């Protein structure tokens, strides 16, 4: 923990900032779950004002941070604390308020228009906002500065120190391995492309009991964790002792609700296992989006879609969803592991998911470099879909308009989903060797896996950068080999 008196003093000064962030998280959680529909305008103002207060306060810490920065007498936790503050200060110093305001306004307006455009499947409505957003993002990259590709400046906000060279190195072998696996899975027919269970309707109350049963299997704590409902599931943390997830109920194809719950629980386990002594500091969060996503995908796919996990939840499934009783554990396993090239990223399976990400990465990189015009994005999207997945969207709603990210200015974000899968593969290999992961799941010893993750990763919060953390745990960073081997082993043998 903190020992250097200058750092202890700085941590006290940071506390109001933590309180603003914690309050903002609660406002956002409420907005997505229980807020009356008509309250969005005032909530938007409240959130924007908290944001401004945060920026002002962080810049007031400049002198104290530079004083500590000169001191060599710091431990790892203190170094991490300073690193994170410097990242925030650097951002708000370099990006002028006018640009920030433009980004914020374009995101708010653009998101409203994007919803309409997607509903009408009419890209021309969204196009001017996306053009504006790409222009602002290019300005942001210029202000922030970068080595190599301007896209590096944008990705760094979500995944510290990641570059296009890194991502190209990771994606290139992954893309060819995935296409090879996909082709073989489809021709072997061992895993179905569709399953009758996809069309069976369920009662929401019964599905809720299934999800609660899954939370029990994952030993989610009762006093510091809760689950609610929202259209797009998410996890949020108000503090180490208040972590919340949401799930969704579409009324059929129960695996969607079940695996949203398991996915978000994976994010929550990370947040809940951060060392409580880091609370009230910026260290009490995941170190990057990629590492955060590695945890959710690890629980959702590597554990959640394994035969061993199905065995654990099968009694809860047949007790609550009576129609499942007509299917064996093995049938349920095949249902949750169906593989099919599809148009929509959020519905994609383990084998095809990363191909959806590669498409977005390729497009964004070109848009930011000015090698592709926004007006060309819909047709470029269709061509890349065909190249990567062999399917072609019939309209822009199932093509270029499907994801919310661009409207909100989250450009440079998508790659972290795949980086998460890559890191999850590294965890799978490592934990399997360290403590027989699959055996532990089969025996219901989920606690052993959680403890391993806590001791090696979670307790540190954001103390180490994602690259430092991986080097400490694995001795290497972002190696796609383990994900590829896991998929080959699962789907081709
Ligand atoms: Zn996630």
């Amino acid at each position: 923990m903190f020992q250097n008196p200058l750092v202890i003093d700085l941590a006290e000064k940071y506390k109001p900032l933590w309180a603003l962030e914690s309050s903002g998280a609660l406002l956002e959680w409420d907005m997505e779950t229980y807020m009356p529909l008509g309250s969005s305008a005032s909530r938007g103002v409240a959130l924007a004002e908290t944001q401004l207060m945060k920026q002002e306060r962080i810049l007031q810490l400049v002198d104290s941070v530079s004083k500590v920065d000169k001191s060599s007498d710091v431990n790892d936790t203190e170094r991490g604390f300073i690193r994170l503050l410097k990242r925030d200060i650097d951002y708000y110093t370099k990006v002028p308020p006018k640009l920030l305001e433009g980004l914020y306004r374009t995101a708010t307006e653009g998101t409203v228009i994007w919803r309409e455009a997607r509903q009408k499947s009419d890209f021309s409505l969204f196009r001017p906002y996306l053009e504006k957003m790409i222009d602002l993002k290019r300005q942001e990259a210029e202000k922030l500065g970068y080595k190599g590709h301007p896209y590096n400046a944008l990705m760094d906000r979500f995944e510290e120190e990641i570059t296009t060279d890194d991502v190209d190195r990771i994606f290139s072998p992954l893309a060819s391995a995935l296409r090879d696996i996909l082709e073989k899975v489809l021709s072997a027919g061992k895993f179905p492309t569709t399953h009758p269970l996809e069309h069976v309707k369920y009662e929401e109350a019964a599905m809720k009991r299934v999800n609660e049963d899954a939370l029990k299997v994952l030993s989610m704590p009762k006093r510091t964790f809760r689950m609610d409902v929202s259209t797009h599931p998410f996890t949020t943390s108000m503090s180490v002792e208040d972590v919340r997830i949401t799930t969704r109920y579409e009324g059929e194809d129960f695996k969607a609700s079940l695996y949203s719950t398991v996915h978000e629980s994976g994010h929550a386990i990370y947040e809940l296992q951060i060392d409580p002594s880091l609370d009230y500091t910026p260290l009490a969060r995941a170190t990057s989006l990629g590492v955060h996503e590695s945890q959710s995908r690890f629980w959702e796919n590597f554990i959640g879609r394994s035969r061993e996990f199905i065995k654990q939840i099968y009694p809860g499934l047949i007790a609550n969803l009576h129609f499942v009783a007509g299917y064996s554990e093995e049938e349920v396993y095949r249902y949750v592991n169906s593989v099919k090239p599809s148009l929509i990223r959020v519905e994609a399976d383990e084998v095809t998911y990363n191909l959806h990400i590669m498409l977005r990465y390729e497009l964004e990189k070109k848009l930011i470099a000015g090698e592709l015009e926004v007006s060309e994005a819909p047709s470029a999207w269709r061509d890349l879909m065909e190249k990567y997945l062999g399917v072609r969207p019939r309209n822009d709603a199932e093509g270029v308009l499907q994801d919310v990210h661009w409207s909100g200015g989250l450009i440079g974000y998508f790659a972290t989903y795949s980086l998460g899968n890559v890191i999850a593969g590294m965890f799978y290999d490592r934990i399997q060797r360290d403590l027989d992961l699959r055996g532990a799941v089969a025996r219901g010893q989920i606690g052993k896996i959680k403890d391993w993750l806590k001791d090696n990763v979670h307790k540190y919060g954001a103390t180490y950068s994602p690259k430092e953390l991986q080097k400490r745990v694995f001795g290497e960073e972002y190696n796609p080999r383990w994900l590829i081997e896991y998929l080959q082993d699962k789907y081709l043998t």
Side-chain angles (χ1 to χ4, degrees), residues 263-264 267 293 296 417:
H263 178 101
E264 300 307 330
H267 282 303
E293 194 67 6
S296 56
Y417 289 122

Side-chain angles (χ1 to χ4, degrees), residues 112-139:
V112 175
I113 298 293
W114 164 77
R115 277 206 189 94
E116 191 191 338
R118 188 176 66 157
Q119 205 210 339
K120 294 182 177 160
S121 192
D122 184 354
F123 183 73
S124 69
L125 291 174
F126 181 51
R127 181 180 149 185
Y129 291 89
L130 185 55
E131 277 168 348
K132 177 92 190 143
M133 184 54 89
I134 296 292
D135 179 50
L136 291 168
K137 283 284 157 184
R138 273 199 212 137
Q139 291 181 39

Side-chain angles (χ1 to χ4, degrees), residues 242-260:
D242 183 354
V243 179
R244 307 178 189 198
I245 66 164
T246 64
T247 191
R248 57 188 171 140
Y249 297 103
E250 286 105 338
E252 61 175 25
D253 196 8
F254 73 86
K255 69 176 184 304
S257 176
L258 174 64
Y259 286 102
S260 288

Side-chain angles (χ1 to χ4, degrees), residues 392-447:
R392 203 173 174 84
R394 285 160 301 182
N395 55 54
D396 290 337
E398 51 182 38
V400 73
L401 286 171
Q402 70 181 263
D403 282 317
V404 67
H405 302 63
W406 289 350
S407 70
L410 296 177
I411 292 166
Y413 184 113
F414 276 118
T416 67
Y417 289 122
S418 284
L419 297 177
N421 288 323
V422 165
I423 303 169
M426 296 163 83
F427 278 118
Y428 178 77
D429 168 71
R430 185 58 200 280
I431 303 177
Q432 180 62 25
R433 281 190 282 124
D434 271 16
L435 53 81
D436 178 22
L437 175 137
R438 293 178 58 175
V441 179
R443 290 187 294 273
Q445 295 170 328
I446 295 279

